[in-house]
Amino acid sequence: MLNSSLAQLGAALRAGKISSVELSQIYLDRIAALNPTLNAYVTTNSETSLAQARQADLLLANGKAQPLTGIPIAQKDIFCAKGWRTTCGSKMLENFIAPYDAHVIERFNNAGAVNLGKTNMDEFAMGSSNETSYFGTVKNPWDKHAVPGGSSGGSACAVAARMCAAATGTDTGGSIRQPAALCGISGIKPTYGTVSRYGMIAFASSLDQAGAMARSAEDLALLLNVMTGFDARDSTSLQRDKENYSRDLSKPLAGLRIGLPKEFFAAGLAQDVAGCVNAAIAEYKKLGSTIVDISLPNSRLAVPVYYVLAPAEASSNLSRYDGVRYGYRAPEYSDLTEMYEKSRAQGFGEEVKRRIMIGTYVLSHGYYDAYYLQAQKIRRLIAQDFDYAFKQCDVIMGPTSPSTAFNLGEKGDDPVQMYLSDIYTIAVNLAGLPGMSIPAGFGSNGRPVGLQIIGNYFAEALMLNVAHQYQLATDHHDRSPQNIGL
Amino acid sequence: MPWEIVIGLEVHTQLSTNSKIFSGASTTYGAEPNTQADAVSIALPGVLPVLNKGAVERAIKFGLAVGAHIAPRSVFARKNYFYPDLPKGYQISQFDLPVVGQGALKIQVEPLSGNAEPYEKVVRITRAHLEEDAGKSLHEDFHGMTGIDLNRAGTPLLEIVSEPDMSSAAEAVAYAKTLHSLVRWIGICDGNMQEGSFRCDVNVSVRRHGAPLGTRREIKNLNSFKFMQQAIDYEVQWQIDTIENGGKIHQATVLFNPDTGETRAMRSKEEAHDYRYFPDPDLLPLDITSELLEKVRATLPESQQVKQARYVKLGISAEDTNILTASREMAEFFDATLVSLLKKGVGTLITPETPSSEIYAARLSNWLIGEVSAQLNREGLDLTQCPITPQQLGGMLKLVVDGTISNSAAKEVFRTMWSKGGDADVIIEAKGLKQDSDMGAIEKLVDEIIAANPAQVAEYRRGKDKVFGFFVGLAMKASKGKANPAQLNEVLKRKLDGAK
Amino acid sequence: MSLTNADVQKIARLARLAMSESEIAAARTQLSGIFDLIAEMQAVDTKGVTPMSHAQDVSQRLREDKVTEINQRELFQSLAPQYKGSPQVEAGLYLVPQVIE
């Protein structure tokens, strides 16, 4: 059961071979057993989950099931779910019970899926290792000394450790793809605007995008079918015809042109990662693809540009956390200013405060042109690089992360080192393009390696096809961690 | 006077939409605290803004009414600062690219002192932009705390910025009054200053002739024209006194105290706010198509000034013209009634017997300003709730002007129409109110009265003019009120004066 | 780039973050490192390039002017923070330390 695909689970549920209550209980038991070690979940509520499962079982019995009806999904704790504690990994929202459902949550509810619980994450989605969470670090299920990646570390861990059938994540600079790579699972961040951000706690509004994390491209397609679609409450939500993301999975890859940016294979890339990625490319050649050498000349600036724009937007988005209407308020203060300053200083962790400061600075009087405006201009150049590249190839590939999972605490002192682990993923968010990571083998220390696939705008169906064909020919994605937590 | 005064106004008008600018919460005034504060209004985690079409249309309408450039593309920006009535910690406003560009407003200035004549002036409008209102802070009654009500947070505002073209309190007040009248006229704002729908910030500086511009201070949140004038007068004098005593004017935000008549700098920190404006990433650029522009232009009513000119040409006095054009509803009721009056003669030629539009206009003006308004006031209604339509009123007035009924009969018809409805001609038939214009009958009647009252006739002929009223009374009684008064008067006078 | 402690203090105040002396000093070092990273992009010639705020060149959608939200005061105010053991709402208003103008 735990290694079944979503399609197989769906079939079993509809055939009555297992009930949603039984399936959900299996996962809840597994969470009870493993979460104390792995810390993938911040909140579970078995009563609520099982009540939802019972509803799903009714739908299944009445023949009213949809593909995900009855299937237990883990939700990144960044999505407001009505009646559920929603913390965003922060002390600031430690006791915040969301009074409404995010659009993504509504879609899963309407599809009959079961909310299995809220997964751990870097605080306010700021981080690449899930070490900034107020609720403790998440362990990589392949090696408990390693980080799972971030910010969707809890979701990645939960999928890899079979603590859920699938999970949602969000990706602002790589926060789905990088943890997917480090945890040996598949993850996709679709084109900006295809999934509504209403109810998804904001970090950097023009970069944030919700996406799916699961064990195969096939599964990701089913999840995207539920998650995507127009929402009138999000002004950046795009109005497009409904797509079936599974439609092209079986297409043969003959003639596919794969672009390899030379900048993604330069200094800084670990040898063992390069080895796995090159092997994956060789496999793609066997499947009929041709390789095209391309260049993304401005991608070297993606990290500095990101660390101007994302903190700038975040510094403003996080101003609402002031202890007035909800969230953490300091226990002692003498006046309003002190109330603000202490509530925020005590409620936010170090990384969040750092980014708020950076953002405040780059927007401040006299610096806007040199930093913010300049960054938006280079962003345009980066997007143009991709535009040009996609005239020469159909998809772009490379390593998702420059190394396999690093150890917990290894990058603690120097934030810049941490920032550089997003070097291959960030440019994709700046351009608003879709990006994926799929398992491509294991590094020298047995830790997973991810292959990144980048598509042109709205090319998710092609990307899933490209991933799926590889997953038919290989078995990296079928592997699961043994002796979890030991 | 060696001193020049330089004044510019920033006016915040609350737009009369049903819902807020970025969410579907209600904007109705006076609700219980925080009952109209939805998730977006209280800035819960994860909520997002969506722009209200009604707010955009009203902004465009204003721009067209002042002849301004409407930006084909404008951008919303975040103005970042911390205050408890600003739940997001930023206000969504417009910075670099506002929706309305440069326009102008012609004003009539009534000098406040001396015997100077009123004069006209054009005040340039720099820009007008859309933004959201903040909530309200209540400082009393909470044992040392401040209470925050977010009902108002998110109400759409159009901030209208003028060039510093005004050089006296009189000009500033004239501008504010004209702007106030305009926004109500075109229907974008209810102009209720007590409720905070129309709030003025006045920037004041002084300089000696030929000197560069002085440092300005901003008088905030003036919500009455009287206070505006007092505040400006005080502030100007204060600035002049300060400079003449060797002091310097520092940029400051000041509040006017109506009890003391003084302006005082606010106690906030001296640091100028760094608002860190940047384009709001949750909103896309606002593109105003020519379709939308034309759709709004078609809803723009005939301007107040054009209507006023027309009424004056019809012979209505300036005072009555002002009353008739005080509200668009009144003026439009007047126009509709006049049209229906003139239309009743469709197909007929204008003959010497047909009253010209001036006569109709005069009657109508009297009735609207008089009986109709009085009755509305008595019943606490406004003109939009008037039970009589322009067509009904026109129908009645036609019968008055052509002499079919007397003025007093008309009042009875009016009362019946008001309470029971119906058309004038049907009512006068039913009540037999047609007045007697039969000259023969009147002559006979007068002869009878004169014959029956020789003593009073003699008194009148001896010079006691007052006795005339006695005869009028008798005649009206004898004719059961139906005699045409004009004709009766003429016959009485003629016969009493000794003619036959 | 060289930030001074005073610079950091000013930013912290703008962002309403309380910071002790030692926290300011620590922040200064870390922020300086991050600004060195950011500095790389300043040398790039971007003359004539249009800034990119959004991924797609789409216009803002307009919403019909209708009231769609109901009164949820009780639910929302159940989220109000506590101070000295009591929720900071009274008579439907949110309570904060008094602001003096």
Side-chain angles (χ1 to χ4, degrees):
Chain A
M1 212 88 265
L2 295 175
N3 288 323
S4 305
S5 69
L6 293 180
Q8 287 167 336
L9 286 177
L13 286 161
R14 288 189 293 277
K17 296 213 175 98
I18 187 172
S19 71
S20 176
V21 168
E22 287 166 334
L23 184 58
S24 304
Q25 192 61 63
I26 290 175
Y27 284 114
L28 288 167
D29 291 341
R30 200 158 163 83
I31 293 170
L34 295 174
N35 206 52
T37 315
L38 297 178
N39 203 24
Y41 284 84
V42 174
T43 304
T44 52
N45 191 326
S46 33
E47 262 183 53
T48 312
S49 302
L50 291 171
Q52 231 182 346
R54 281 192 291 275
Q55 288 300 311
D57 281 331
L58 285 176
L59 291 169
L60 286 157
N62 293 335
K64 295 209 169 99
Q66 297 169 65
L68 292 189
T69 301
I71 296 188
I73 311 280
Q75 299 290 350
K76 183 174 181 180
D77 205 13
I78 198 171
F79 295 104
C80 289
K82 188 167 182 170
W84 285 81
R85 182 171 75 146
T86 300
T87 68
C88 216
S90 181
K91 179 175 177 172
M92 185 59 85
L93 295 175
E94 183 178 12
N95 299 309
F96 178 74
I97 311 289
Y100 75 100
D101 281 326
H103 185 75
V104 162
I105 300 289
E106 278 179 359
R107 282 190 174 268
F108 277 109
N109 288 344
N110 291 340
V114 174
N115 185 346
L116 202 48
K118 305 301 229 61
T119 58
N120 206 342
M121 53 180 284
D122 278 308
E123 188 184 0
F124 282 103
M126 301 184 198
S128 308
S129 63
N130 222 130
E131 291 177 291
T132 70
S133 170
Y134 177 67
F135 300 93
T137 61
V138 174
K139 315 295 181 291
N140 191 319
W142 297 87
D143 182 336
K144 70 175 183 203
H145 302 291
V147 301
S151 62
S152 311
S155 285
C157 171
V159 171
R162 281 45 170 171
M163 291 160 81
C164 61
T168 55
T170 63
D171 189 316
T172 304
S175 290
I176 285 177
R177 292 161 286 155
Q178 186 252 22
L182 270 49
C183 286
I185 63 164
S186 304
I188 185 165
K189 176 204 89 68
T191 307
Y192 183 88
T194 52
V195 181
S196 166
R197 291 183 301 114
Y198 189 78
M200 187 175 115
I201 297 176
F203 157 22
S205 318
S206 76
L207 303 167
D208 294 343
Q209 185 64 187
M213 304 175 84
R215 291 183 8 263
S216 67
E218 226 186 346
D219 284 359
L220 295 178
L222 290 178
L223 292 161
L224 281 191
N225 281 348
V226 167
M227 292 175 78
T228 56
F230 175 67
D231 177 13
R233 292 165 301 181
D234 174 359
S235 290
T236 60
S237 174
L238 298 170
Q239 281 176 282
R240 300 179 63 241
D241 291 335
K242 189 86 181 127
E243 269 192 66
N244 174 8
Y245 290 99
S246 311
R247 68 184 187 273
D248 290 335
L249 287 173
S250 316
K251 278 201 174 142
L253 296 187
L256 179 78
R257 296 169 303 160
I258 298 175
L260 298 180
K262 65 176 199 250
E263 293 81 6
F264 286 6
F265 292 87
L269 176 59
Q271 270 205 313
D272 56 349
V273 173
C276 290
V277 171
N278 286 330
I281 304 297
E283 189 61 49
Y284 271 105
K285 280 203 241 186
K286 272 203 266 170
L287 290 169
S289 328
T290 47
I291 306 305
V292 182
D293 288 321
I294 61 167
S295 172
L296 299 169
N298 291 291
S299 61
R300 66 184 176 87
L301 296 164
V303 172
V305 164
Y306 178 84
Y307 281 99
V308 167
L309 298 178
E313 295 184 10
S315 70
S316 181
N317 284 331
L318 268 60
S319 293
R320 66 191 61 198
Y321 303 106
D322 56 10
V324 175
R325 302 162 308 291
Y326 53 82
Y328 179 84
R329 189 190 282 207
E332 289 290 330
Y333 48 84
S334 57
D335 62 23
L336 180 69
T337 303
E338 212 179 80
M339 187 192 92
Y340 281 150
E341 291 184 344
K342 282 185 169 176
S343 301
R344 290 164 60 79
Q346 293 166 16
F348 290 136
E350 293 310 308
E351 183 60 33
V352 169
K353 286 192 276 195
R354 232 185 326 264
R355 298 207 194 182
I356 289 176
M357 304 250 279
I358 298 170
T360 305
Y361 188 81
V362 303
L363 288 175
S364 65
H365 182 62
Y367 296 105
Y368 180 85
D369 283 6
Y371 289 111
Y372 189 82
L373 204 54
Q374 177 74 343
Q376 293 283 45
K377 289 180 177 182
I378 299 177
R379 182 179 184 176
R380 170 85 58 198
L381 295 176
I382 291 171
Q384 285 171 353
D385 282 355
F386 278 109
D387 205 42
Y388 183 69
F390 281 119
K391 293 183 165 62
Q392 304 159 66
C393 63
D394 303 308
V395 293
I396 294 171
M397 287 190 192
T400 303
S401 181
S403 69
T404 57
F406 41 91
N407 287 333
L408 287 156
E410 191 179 308
K411 305 215 175 172
D413 289 339
D414 186 357
V416 174
Q417 283 312 305
M418 188 71 80
Y419 298 164
L420 291 172
S421 52
D422 293 326
I423 197 167
Y424 304 130
T425 50
I426 276 184
V428 176
N429 301 80
L430 292 173
L433 292 165
M436 275 183 84
S437 180
I438 54 172
F442 296 85
S444 50
N445 49 16
R447 296 177 187 176
V449 171
L451 172 75
Q452 182 175 221
I453 304 172
I454 303 169
N456 208 343
Y457 300 105
F458 311 113
E460 292 84 355
L462 170 65
M463 293 155 70
L464 289 163
N465 161 225
V466 167
H468 179 65
Q469 293 302 311
Y470 177 82
Q471 288 178 344
L472 287 175
T474 58
D475 69 350
H476 305 301
H477 65 290
D478 283 331
R479 303 269 296 279
S480 50
Q482 303 302 307
N483 308 315
I484 292 177
L486 297 175
Chain B
M1 206 176 78
W3 291 95
E4 259 176 35
I5 307 168
V6 178
I7 301 174
L9 259 68
E10 282 165 22
V11 178
H12 292 87
T13 58
Q14 276 186 347
L15 299 178
S16 55
T17 53
N18 301 314
S19 60
K20 296 189 177 181
I21 186 171
F22 294 117
S23 81
S26 168
T27 53
T28 309
Y29 184 83
E32 282 297 300
N34 291 307
T35 54
Q36 286 172 187
D38 66 327
V40 173
S41 301
I42 67 173
L44 286 179
V47 297
L48 296 169
V50 187
L51 183 57
N52 183 334
K53 184 194 258 190
V56 176
E57 288 173 340
R58 283 164 178 74
I60 295 172
K61 219 171 181 180
F62 174 76
L64 292 173
V66 295
H69 171 71
I70 310 290
R73 169 167 281 204
S74 62
V75 171
F76 286 95
R78 295 189 183 178
K79 179 180 181 181
N80 297 280
Y81 64 96
F82 286 90
Y83 204 73
D85 68 7
L86 193 69
K88 292 189 292 297
Y90 60 87
Q91 177 197 31
I92 302 177
S93 177
Q94 296 189 296
F95 186 58
D96 280 338
L97 290 173
V99 56
V100 173
Q102 292 181 321
L105 196 63
K106 198 172 356 169
I107 65 176
Q108 283 279 107
V109 188
E110 308 265 342
L112 297 164
S113 58
N115 291 318
E117 285 292 300
Y119 60 94
E120 234 178 45
K121 187 183 172 115
V122 170
V123 174
R124 294 167 302 164
I125 288 173
T126 318
R127 56 183 268 159
H129 67 258
L130 284 167
E131 60 183 25
E132 53 178 350
D133 210 345
K136 278 202 190 141
S137 306
L138 290 100
H139 300 297
E140 303 86 47
D141 311 332
F142 291 103
H143 39 87
M145 308 280 275
T146 294
I148 306 293
D149 176 12
L150 296 172
N151 280 349
R152 198 181 67 173
T155 303
L157 292 178
L158 186 68
E159 179 177 331
I160 304 165
V161 182
S162 82
E163 291 287 336
D165 285 351
M166 289 153 278
S167 49
S168 67
E171 288 186 358
V173 170
Y175 170 79
K177 281 184 172 171
T178 308
L179 195 61
H180 183 255
S181 195
L182 175 67
V183 299
R184 280 167 50 241
W185 183 265
I186 62 177
I188 67 168
C189 169
D190 70 14
N192 188 326
M193 293 173 84
Q194 279 72 29
E195 291 182 358
S197 305
F198 189 89
R199 312 193 295 254
C200 302
D201 295 341
V202 184
N203 288 299
V204 180
S205 70
V206 299
R207 63 172 165 186
R208 289 199 159 88
H209 286 302
L213 277 174
T215 307
R216 62 176 195 205
R217 302 208 318 166
E218 182 184 23
I219 314 174
K220 277 199 89 66
N221 276 335
L222 292 160
N223 65 354
S224 102
F225 300 123
K226 188 172 116 194
F227 292 162
M228 183 184 300
Q229 185 225 313
Q230 289 174 358
I232 294 173
D233 285 341
Y234 181 88
E235 176 66 21
V236 164
Q237 197 55 52
W238 181 89
Q239 289 194 15
I240 291 174
D241 289 345
T242 303
I243 298 172
E244 283 181 339
N245 288 331
K248 248 186 76 160
I249 307 296
H250 300 283
Q251 191 174 35
T253 307
V254 307
L255 292 175
F256 175 68
N257 184 335
D259 300 322
T260 62
E262 299 178 348
T263 56
R264 180 183 54 84
M266 285 172 77
R267 195 156 15 134
S268 36
K269 306 267 159 68
E270 281 317 306
E271 61 184 43
H273 283 286
D274 183 353
Y275 293 120
R276 307 184 296 288
Y277 283 99
F278 71 104
D280 192 328
D282 288 329
L283 293 164
L284 299 170
L286 173 61
D287 286 332
I288 293 177
T289 60
S290 49
E291 280 91 354
L292 183 58
L293 207 55
E294 292 320 307
K295 174 171 168 262
V296 175
R297 198 194 296 278
T299 68
L300 204 53
E302 184 181 49
S303 84
Q304 207 177 15
Q305 285 74 16
V306 168
K307 276 214 206 294
Q308 285 169 341
R310 193 150 45 76
Y311 295 172
V312 164
K313 217 162 157 224
L314 281 172
I316 298 175
S317 74
E319 192 187 323
D320 284 354
T321 294
N322 281 340
I323 299 173
L324 288 173
T325 59
S327 82
R328 201 177 84 213
E329 289 75 38
M330 174 85 102
E332 287 180 348
F333 198 100
F334 179 92
D335 286 346
T337 311
L338 194 61
V339 163
S340 108
L341 271 171
L342 296 171
K343 259 197 190 152
K344 287 230 178 238
V346 161
T348 52
L349 298 165
I350 306 289
T351 67
E353 283 80 42
T354 312
S356 69
S357 37
E358 280 90 357
I359 297 181
Y360 280 134
R363 283 280 181 179
L364 173 54
S365 170
N366 287 338
W367 269 84
L368 256 184
I369 294 175
E371 286 296 323
V372 176
S373 295
Q375 192 60 29
L376 287 171
N377 278 339
R378 258 177 248 134
E379 296 189 13
L381 300 170
D382 65 57
L383 192 54
T384 55
Q385 300 164 301
C386 184
I388 294 183
T389 65
Q391 288 69 29
Q392 280 172 295
L393 186 62
M396 186 196 82
L397 286 177
K398 184 152 192 22
L399 300 172
V400 173
V401 168
D402 71 16
T404 308
I405 53 174
S406 68
N407 225 30
S408 50
K411 290 192 180 161
E412 199 185 319
V413 173
F414 177 79
R415 277 193 293 277
T416 308
M417 268 192 330
W418 187 281
S419 52
K420 299 205 180 79
D423 284 325
D425 39 18
V426 174
I427 293 173
I428 66 174
E429 281 301 329
K431 289 183 176 243
L433 289 171
K434 273 196 188 151
Q435 69 183 346
D436 254 326
S437 299
D438 176 356
M439 276 302 266
I442 289 178
E443 300 245 358
K444 183 161 168 275
L445 193 127
V446 170
D447 288 337
E448 282 170 9
I449 288 172
I450 286 177
N453 298 279
Q456 287 79 0
V457 173
E459 264 186 77
Y460 177 82
R461 285 177 180 163
R462 272 202 297 276
K464 229 179 166 187
D465 289 332
K466 272 208 218 146
V467 181
F468 191 80
F470 166 78
F471 287 105
V472 172
L474 280 185
M476 288 310 279
K477 199 154 154 234
S479 77
K480 297 188 184 40
K482 289 216 200 119
N484 182 323
Q487 286 178 320
L488 179 63
N489 276 5
E490 186 264 323
V491 172
L492 258 178
K493 192 149 195 344
R494 187 168 26 93
K495 287 188 186 280
L496 283 171
D497 284 346
K500 279 281 179 252
Chain C
M1 71 140 1
S2 45
L3 283 172
T4 64
N5 279 355
D7 289 332
V8 178
Q9 173 71 289
K10 204 170 86 154
I11 301 168
R13 171 47 62 91
L14 266 181
R16 295 296 187 271
L17 295 168
M19 289 188 107
S20 67
E21 292 285 326
S22 56
E23 284 169 331
I24 290 178
R28 184 164 83 102
T29 318
Q30 295 194 322
L31 290 178
S32 297
I34 296 167
F35 280 110
D36 287 337
L37 167 70
I38 292 173
E40 283 178 44
M41 58 151 218
Q42 292 194 286
V44 178
D45 179 13
T46 53
K47 227 193 331 255
V49 181
T50 323
M52 180 175 176
S53 304
H54 295 103
Q56 318 276 336
D57 187 20
V58 191
S59 308
Q60 174 65 34
R61 188 174 14 94
L62 299 177
R63 176 178 59 84
E64 287 304 313
D65 180 23
K66 281 200 308 242
V67 174
T68 55
E69 301 306 305
I70 57 169
N71 173 16
Q72 292 188 279
R73 184 173 83 182
E74 212 184 302
L75 173 62
F76 293 156
Q77 290 192 342
S78 68
L79 302 167
Q82 308 239 330
Y83 180 62
K84 305 231 185 284
S86 39
Q88 293 302 286
V89 280
E90 194 179 300
L93 295 150
Y94 291 100
L95 295 181
V96 296
Q98 192 162 66
V99 187
I100 305 154
E101 279 173 357

